[in-house]
Amino acid sequence: MSDVPFGFGLPGDRDPDRREGGGGDPAGGDPFGLGALFGGMAGGGSPEDVLGKMPLFAELQRLMNWSGGPVNWDLAKQGAISQLAAGHQPSSDGERTAVAEALRLADLWLDQVTEMPSGIDRTAAWSRVEWVEQTLPAWGALIDPLAEKVVAAMTSALPQEAAMSFGPIAGIMGRMGGVMFGAQVGSALGKLADEVLTSTDVGLPLAPAGTGVLVPQNVAAFAAGLDRPADEVRLFLALREAAAQRLFAHVPWLRQQLQDAVHAYARGITIDREAIERGISEAMSAGGMEGLDPSDPESIQRLLGSGVLEPEETPEQAMALRRLETLLALVEGWIDTVVAAAAKDRLPGHSALAETMRRRRASGGPAEQTFATLVGLQLRPRRLRDAATVWAAMTQQHGGADRDRLWNHPDLLPTSDDLDEPMDFVARQGQGLDAELEALTEGDTEPEKPEED
């Protein structure tokens, strides 16, 4: 898993896992062809001439003209689907029927443990390729603002001397960024599509509103390593999907709060200009006056590989990540709690399946991989356990209705500090919950206008 924040993959990176879907040099020395591009610029060729002559960019010249935003989503989709082509299995009619029945039964069971009504209007059994295609709009809303800020920060942080050295390359930095982001996103989505089980497996609702989804090919692979019947595993995962759909459908601010936490991190992205200048100075000292030479790919790669273009995390970003981590933990903990209540007397293998999911999260499941790629966030299992403790204790001490009413307003939810002492938080809840909610929502209504004489 990468420790480098999203969008900061370096051309000299030789990790094959991070080059998948990106094309370029198979030896890993220059996966995006930047060395040849820089050399062509120094030789006086126009960007279009150079792009047309390079094998990788001749193929992607059309994509280089992408004008739909900071991420080239055409390339991302193409890269993800190409990764999945070899093992792709379309969903059968039988699988679609089995998924629909499992989600319907799951909703019936959940009706008895939560007052939140069903959030599923239709069901779907997606193939891995369909998962990529259907979730792209949600990924765009999440990733585009982050990618745009990254490109802007990197461009504005370059000192004037470096910008002059790069010459004509400055004019296509934005398009290059779109290609690089597209390649990275495509690779990440291809890997996720290989293992996601539902549409909410990453902690966010990625399917169109009201659509409950399972990915039968991945569900079968997940069940193959377990000593439980396949239909039992499918029903357990349907319970998790149906519970998540209820939460996101009936807590209207939740989706936006999760996105806002990621975007708050993006707004704080800055790159230390002084560090760049020091890096360039050191490069020049090491290689003489030719230390930074746009015609020398090794010179450019030394600069990029020095780490001077990597952002430094600010206190504001740390707060945004903490909020995101807490929200994701609360979502996952609530799902664990209501699924356990619905399944404990009906699903013989629930305990074993729940433990398998906990181990999956602890070793780095889709949510952790996604957010580590996006913003360097590591979802700690301890936060998930603490969140589940809050929801389970609220159910036991105050009942399911008071437990679910905590979702009526974001300020009612436990904070990261509350999760440090979950039982103290639960002890403070109860009869005062209605009064606290009334106080919080009092200012949400407009005051009545005075009557005119």
Side-chain angles (χ1 to χ4, degrees), residues 118-437:
S118 172
I120 296 177
D121 298 324
R122 54 196 171 277
T123 64
W126 285 347
S127 68
R128 291 169 176 173
V129 169
E130 287 174 321
W131 183 90
V132 170
E133 294 173 336
Q134 296 292 331
T135 62
L136 280 178
W139 289 118
L142 181 69
I143 295 174
D144 273 343
L146 179 62
E148 186 174 9
K149 183 63 178 178
V150 168
V151 172
M154 292 181 69
T155 303
S156 63
L158 283 173
Q160 184 176 0
E161 307 90 278
M164 293 175 63
S165 297
F166 282 110
I169 191 63
I172 60 168
M173 282 185 69
R175 286 184 289 165
M176 277 297 302
V179 170
M180 295 175 72
F181 277 117
Q184 275 192 286
V185 171
S187 177
L189 293 184
K191 292 175 184 177
L192 278 171
D194 265 335
E195 62 179 83
V196 287
L197 304 168
T198 69
S199 73
T200 54
D201 217 7
V202 302
L204 291 168
L206 299 176
T211 306
V213 178
L214 266 63
V215 183
Q217 184 177 358
N218 293 347
V219 171
F222 177 72
L226 306 175
D227 189 22
R228 303 303 311 172
D231 58 347
E232 187 176 286
V233 175
R234 184 189 307 111
L235 183 52
F236 170 75
L237 296 173
L239 280 166
R240 294 184 57 80
E241 172 74 350
Q245 291 292 343
R246 287 180 184 233
L247 191 59
F248 283 108
H250 301 292
V251 183
W253 50 264
L254 180 57
R255 181 196 302 253
Q256 192 61 49
Q257 288 260 326
L258 287 164
Q259 289 187 358
D260 286 349
V262 176
H263 297 165
Y265 180 90
R267 287 194 296 271
I269 290 176
T270 56
I271 299 176
D272 189 343
R273 184 172 184 142
E274 292 183 0
I276 293 178
E277 292 174 345
R278 287 195 302 270
I280 293 174
S281 176
E282 291 170 3
M284 288 183 173
S285 297
M289 292 302 292
E290 296 181 359
L292 182 62
D293 181 358
S295 66
D296 178 9
E298 292 185 3
S299 164
I300 300 300
Q301 291 201 18
R302 280 198 301 271
L303 174 63
L304 294 173
S306 67
V308 298
L309 293 181
E310 294 180 17
E312 294 185 353
E313 186 175 286
T314 65
E316 293 77 14
Q317 288 176 299
M319 289 178 60
L321 291 183
R322 192 180 187 192
R323 176 63 174 162
L324 177 59
E325 177 187 62
T326 300
L327 274 175
L328 289 170
L330 290 170
V331 168
E332 188 76 10
W334 186 87
I335 292 171
D336 283 354
T337 299
V338 297
V339 167
K344 64 180 181 180
D345 295 328
R346 300 183 178 94
L347 211 59
H350 167 261
S351 296
L353 292 169
E355 179 59 30
T356 299
M357 293 300 294
R358 282 190 287 269
R359 290 199 303 268
R360 186 171 183 254
R361 290 194 300 254
S363 62
E368 183 175 352
Q369 293 174 15
T370 300
F371 288 102
T373 300
L374 286 173
V375 292
L377 171 65
Q378 302 289 337
L379 296 180
R380 294 168 293 173
R382 180 178 64 84
R383 295 285 84 179
L384 298 177
R385 288 194 295 269
D386 295 337
T389 297
V390 166
W391 297 123
M394 282 293 299
T395 306
Q396 186 176 29
Q397 296 185 26
H398 304 295
D402 276 354
R403 174 201 66 207
D404 294 348
R405 270 188 288 172
L406 290 176
W407 290 106
N408 286 351
H409 195 282
D411 289 345
L412 292 176
L413 290 175
T415 65
S416 180
D417 290 337
D418 290 327
L419 294 185
D420 291 335
E421 299 292 341
M423 298 310 297
D424 288 349
F425 172 84
V426 173
R428 296 195 300 270
Q429 309 308 306
Q431 294 182 349
L433 188 59
D434 288 331
E436 189 175 352
L437 177 60

